[in-house]
Amino acid sequence: MYVMLHEPGSWFLFEQDRKFYLDARCSRSFVDFSILIELNEEECEGYQAEGKAFIDQLATRINACQNEFLPRDITNAHLAAVSQAVSEWRETTVRH
């Protein structure tokens, strides 16, 4: 798994084995958390057609409609891989 795109404070887009995963930051009252989903076929097509703009919109939708996406949340199953991918990405990303 590796980081493909990132929007600071909002989301990470990962790829692994030709599958895409979006880790979207969500807020509820005073609690921040993430929802990690595997992009379905329709979402993959949207990403291929619109790129980062589509992912921005999808992350916004996930935050706004959390209950709709919670059944798709696979954070626990991929926590180690996501953490490793983000750590490796941070090590190779030049910060200014």
Side-chain angles (χ1 to χ4, degrees), residues 1 4 14-21 38-39 44:
M1 181 173 286
M4 291 193 55
F14 302 94
E15 183 178 1
Q16 181 178 33
D17 300 326
R18 292 187 237 170
K19 295 179 182 178
F20 297 100
Y21 300 88
E38 180 180 338
L39 272 60
C44 286

mmCIF file of all heavy atoms in Angstrom, residues 1 4 14-21 38-39 44:
data_model
loop_
_atom_site.group_PDB
_atom_site.id
_atom_site.type_symbol
_atom_site.label_atom_id
_atom_site.label_comp_id
_atom_site.label_asym_id
_atom_site.label_seq_id
_atom_site.Cartn_x
_atom_site.Cartn_y
_atom_site.Cartn_z
ATOM 1 N N MET A 1 0.852 -1.173 0.000
ATOM 2 C CA MET A 1 0.000 0.000 0.000
ATOM 3 C C MET A 1 0.895 1.232 0.000
ATOM 4 O O MET A 1 1.904 1.264 0.696
ATOM 5 C CB MET A 1 -0.915 -0.010 1.232
ATOM 6 C CG MET A 1 -1.849 1.174 1.297
ATOM 7 S SD MET A 1 -3.077 1.079 2.627
ATOM 8 C CE MET A 1 -4.193 -0.129 1.975
ATOM 9 N N MET A 4 -0.975 7.792 -2.771
ATOM 10 C CA MET A 4 -1.015 8.354 -4.126
ATOM 11 C C MET A 4 -1.214 9.864 -4.089
ATOM 12 O O MET A 4 -0.558 10.593 -4.820
ATOM 13 C CB MET A 4 -2.153 7.729 -4.921
ATOM 14 C CG MET A 4 -1.936 6.287 -5.239
ATOM 15 S SD MET A 4 -3.094 5.732 -6.473
ATOM 16 C CE MET A 4 -2.848 6.877 -7.791
ATOM 17 N N PHE A 14 -4.854 5.989 -1.146
ATOM 18 C CA PHE A 14 -3.867 4.918 -1.222
ATOM 19 C C PHE A 14 -4.177 4.012 -2.407
ATOM 20 O O PHE A 14 -5.325 3.914 -2.841
ATOM 21 C CB PHE A 14 -3.909 4.038 0.041
ATOM 22 C CG PHE A 14 -3.676 4.787 1.310
ATOM 23 C CD1 PHE A 14 -4.743 5.265 2.058
ATOM 24 C CD2 PHE A 14 -2.394 5.015 1.777
ATOM 25 C CE1 PHE A 14 -4.542 5.943 3.246
ATOM 26 C CE2 PHE A 14 -2.175 5.696 2.965
ATOM 27 C CZ PHE A 14 -3.260 6.165 3.700
ATOM 28 N N GLU A 15 -3.135 3.314 -2.871
ATOM 29 C CA GLU A 15 -3.326 2.257 -3.856
ATOM 30 C C GLU A 15 -2.597 1.018 -3.369
ATOM 31 O O GLU A 15 -1.499 1.095 -2.808
ATOM 32 C CB GLU A 15 -2.789 2.645 -5.224
ATOM 33 C CG GLU A 15 -3.046 1.566 -6.269
ATOM 34 C CD GLU A 15 -2.561 1.925 -7.659
ATOM 35 O OE1 GLU A 15 -1.993 3.005 -7.851
ATOM 36 O OE2 GLU A 15 -2.762 1.093 -8.556
ATOM 37 N N GLN A 16 -3.231 -0.117 -3.574
ATOM 38 C CA GLN A 16 -2.618 -1.399 -3.282
ATOM 39 C C GLN A 16 -3.246 -2.432 -4.212
ATOM 40 O O GLN A 16 -4.477 -2.565 -4.260
ATOM 41 C CB GLN A 16 -2.833 -1.817 -1.833
ATOM 42 C CG GLN A 16 -2.182 -3.151 -1.499
ATOM 43 C CD GLN A 16 -2.366 -3.523 -0.043
ATOM 44 O OE1 GLN A 16 -3.382 -3.205 0.576
ATOM 45 N NE2 GLN A 16 -1.373 -4.187 0.505
ATOM 46 N N ASP A 17 -2.405 -3.117 -4.951
ATOM 47 C CA ASP A 17 -2.878 -4.176 -5.857
ATOM 48 C C ASP A 17 -3.996 -3.692 -6.783
ATOM 49 O O ASP A 17 -5.021 -4.343 -6.946
ATOM 50 C CB ASP A 17 -3.341 -5.405 -5.067
ATOM 51 C CG ASP A 17 -2.225 -5.995 -4.219
ATOM 52 O OD1 ASP A 17 -1.061 -5.942 -4.653
ATOM 53 O OD2 ASP A 17 -2.531 -6.499 -3.120
ATOM 54 N N ARG A 18 -3.802 -2.516 -7.355
ATOM 55 C CA ARG A 18 -4.751 -1.906 -8.301
ATOM 56 C C ARG A 18 -6.107 -1.580 -7.692
ATOM 57 O O ARG A 18 -7.104 -1.422 -8.398
ATOM 58 C CB ARG A 18 -4.916 -2.767 -9.539
ATOM 59 C CG ARG A 18 -3.668 -2.796 -10.379
ATOM 60 C CD ARG A 18 -3.919 -3.504 -11.652
ATOM 61 N NE ARG A 18 -2.954 -4.594 -11.740
ATOM 62 C CZ ARG A 18 -2.987 -5.543 -12.621
ATOM 63 N NH1 ARG A 18 -3.940 -5.572 -13.514
ATOM 64 N NH2 ARG A 18 -2.081 -6.482 -12.647
ATOM 65 N N LYS A 19 -6.154 -1.492 -6.377
ATOM 66 C CA LYS A 19 -7.355 -1.054 -5.674
ATOM 67 C C LYS A 19 -7.041 0.275 -5.011
ATOM 68 O O LYS A 19 -5.916 0.511 -4.574
ATOM 69 C CB LYS A 19 -7.787 -2.074 -4.620
ATOM 70 C CG LYS A 19 -8.214 -3.397 -5.199
ATOM 71 C CD LYS A 19 -8.604 -4.357 -4.111
ATOM 72 C CE LYS A 19 -8.987 -5.699 -4.697
ATOM 73 N NZ LYS A 19 -9.319 -6.663 -3.635
ATOM 74 N N PHE A 20 -8.049 1.142 -4.927
ATOM 75 C CA PHE A 20 -7.881 2.457 -4.326
ATOM 76 C C PHE A 20 -8.631 2.518 -3.003
ATOM 77 O O PHE A 20 -9.741 2.003 -2.885
ATOM 78 C CB PHE A 20 -8.403 3.552 -5.261
ATOM 79 C CG PHE A 20 -7.655 3.621 -6.557
ATOM 80 C CD1 PHE A 20 -8.168 3.049 -7.702
ATOM 81 C CD2 PHE A 20 -6.429 4.261 -6.620
ATOM 82 C CE1 PHE A 20 -7.488 3.102 -8.900
ATOM 83 C CE2 PHE A 20 -5.722 4.331 -7.818
ATOM 84 C CZ PHE A 20 -6.249 3.749 -8.958
ATOM 85 N N TYR A 21 -7.998 3.185 -2.032
ATOM 86 C CA TYR A 21 -8.572 3.325 -0.697
ATOM 87 C C TYR A 21 -8.509 4.801 -0.306
ATOM 88 O O TYR A 21 -7.473 5.450 -0.476
ATOM 89 C CB TYR A 21 -7.775 2.504 0.321
ATOM 90 C CG TYR A 21 -7.745 1.036 0.005
ATOM 91 C CD1 TYR A 21 -6.775 0.500 -0.821
ATOM 92 C CD2 TYR A 21 -8.708 0.179 0.532
ATOM 93 C CE1 TYR A 21 -6.746 -0.846 -1.121
ATOM 94 C CE2 TYR A 21 -8.693 -1.182 0.236
ATOM 95 C CZ TYR A 21 -7.709 -1.689 -0.589
ATOM 96 O OH TYR A 21 -7.687 -3.021 -0.884
ATOM 97 N N GLU A 38 -12.732 1.307 0.599
ATOM 98 C CA GLU A 38 -12.209 0.917 -0.705
ATOM 99 C C GLU A 38 -13.138 1.536 -1.739
ATOM 100 O O GLU A 38 -14.372 1.416 -1.625
ATOM 101 C CB GLU A 38 -12.196 -0.596 -0.853
ATOM 102 C CG GLU A 38 -11.668 -1.049 -2.199
ATOM 103 C CD GLU A 38 -11.645 -2.556 -2.366
ATOM 104 O OE1 GLU A 38 -11.638 -3.283 -1.351
ATOM 105 O OE2 GLU A 38 -11.639 -3.001 -3.536
ATOM 106 N N LEU A 39 -12.565 2.231 -2.711
ATOM 107 C CA LEU A 39 -13.397 2.837 -3.742
ATOM 108 C C LEU A 39 -14.086 1.745 -4.553
ATOM 109 O O LEU A 39 -13.450 0.768 -4.961
ATOM 110 C CB LEU A 39 -12.557 3.719 -4.670
ATOM 111 C CG LEU A 39 -12.371 5.180 -4.237
ATOM 112 C CD1 LEU A 39 -11.700 5.295 -2.894
ATOM 113 C CD2 LEU A 39 -11.621 5.959 -5.285
ATOM 114 N N CYS A 44 -14.160 4.672 -8.546
ATOM 115 C CA CYS A 44 -12.914 4.576 -9.321
ATOM 116 C C CYS A 44 -13.063 5.290 -10.664
ATOM 117 O O CYS A 44 -12.144 5.991 -11.099
ATOM 118 C CB CYS A 44 -12.530 3.114 -9.538
ATOM 119 S SG CYS A 44 -11.873 2.301 -8.075
#
